[in-house]
Amino acid sequence: MSMADENPKEPTPAAAADPGATPRGEGEPRPQPKQKDKPKEKQKGKKPAEVQTGAPAEPEGPPPEPAPPPRLHEYYEQKVRAKLAQQFGLKNPHEVPKLVKIVLNVGMGDATKNPKGLDAAVAELAAITGQQPVVTRAKKAIANFNLREGMAVGCSVTLRGARMYEFLDRFISIAVPRMRDFRGLPADSFDGRGNYTVGIKEQMIFPEIDYDKVEKIHGMDITLVTTAGRDDTAQALLRELGMPFRGEAPVAVN
């Protein structure tokens, strides 16, 4: 019997601990423990995702001051409400008439043949009101006018809140006196429910319109919607706000 048979190799501690493990030979390298994957290095020149999707940085300096309330709205709250309540004997303050909204509507009959004219009317109405108009479309087809359902026929804007009072103040103080041969606004344009509509023949009366960029002169309808419910109370409301009706001296708004 040889010496190799008399002295068998003793099992390694790893083999003794794990009987099912295969014995490692003398020339085999010892297995190294697995290393955890290193985090990928950030690429240069690219910001992390948190910075890209985060909130924008606040501007330096003091925060901007809030816009002052409209002059016409303050005048209505301080003087017009009490005067109307006394004039019509309104005890409930919610019964006092007030403005709800102002709707400006521009009709373009040739919008299908001249789409650039409609785009110009939309841009002009946006400059006048400070709000993006909505393109109005035909609700039904009319064969005599070569009109199909869904065709663009004009644009309109609905103003509420502060923009409504600011537009009315500019309209009464600046735009109305620039009308050609102006003798006052008609007092019989109420619809019987306290809403007043006036037609404008030219958009040039508004100072926001640039004469050199006007492609076509067009008019518009301006509707003032109130909570009066009657024509006499609605007319008194508009008169106190400075609306110059025909045959009457306008009220000075201070």
Side-chain angles (χ1 to χ4, degrees), residues 5 10 24 32 43 54-56 60 83 85 95 102 124 150 155 161 182 192 211 221 225 227 249:
D5 296 335
E10 296 181 358
R24 180 177 58 86
Q32 300 293 334
Q43 299 180 359
E60 298 180 357
K83 192 172 183 179
E95 294 179 353
I102 296 178
E124 291 172 357
C155 56
F182 179 70
Y211 286 22
D221 294 330
V225 182
T227 60

Side-chain angles (χ1 to χ4, degrees), residues 104 121-127 129 131-136 155-158:
L104 289 83
V122 170
E124 291 172 357
L125 200 57
T129 60
Q131 183 172 314
Q132 183 65 24
V134 176
V135 177
T136 55
C155 56
S156 65
V157 170
T158 301

Side-chain angles (χ1 to χ4, degrees), residues 6 11 17 32 41 52-53 73 78 82 86 91 103 111 115 146 158 161 165 174 183 189-190 193 204 207 210 219 229:
E6 293 179 357
Q32 300 293 334
E41 296 180 1
Q52 295 179 357
T53 59
H73 183 257
Q78 296 174 3
Q86 183 180 3
K91 298 180 180 180
V103 181
N146 296 328
T158 301
Y165 283 101
I174 302 175
R183 296 290 186 272
S189 297
F190 291 90
R193 291 170 289 185
M204 313 294 290
D210 188 0

Side-chain angles (χ1 to χ4, degrees), residues 5 8 40 123 139 156 166 181 186 208 213:
D5 296 335
K40 296 182 179 180
K139 296 183 179 180
S156 65
E166 290 175 355
D181 299 332
E208 294 85 0
K213 297 182 180 180

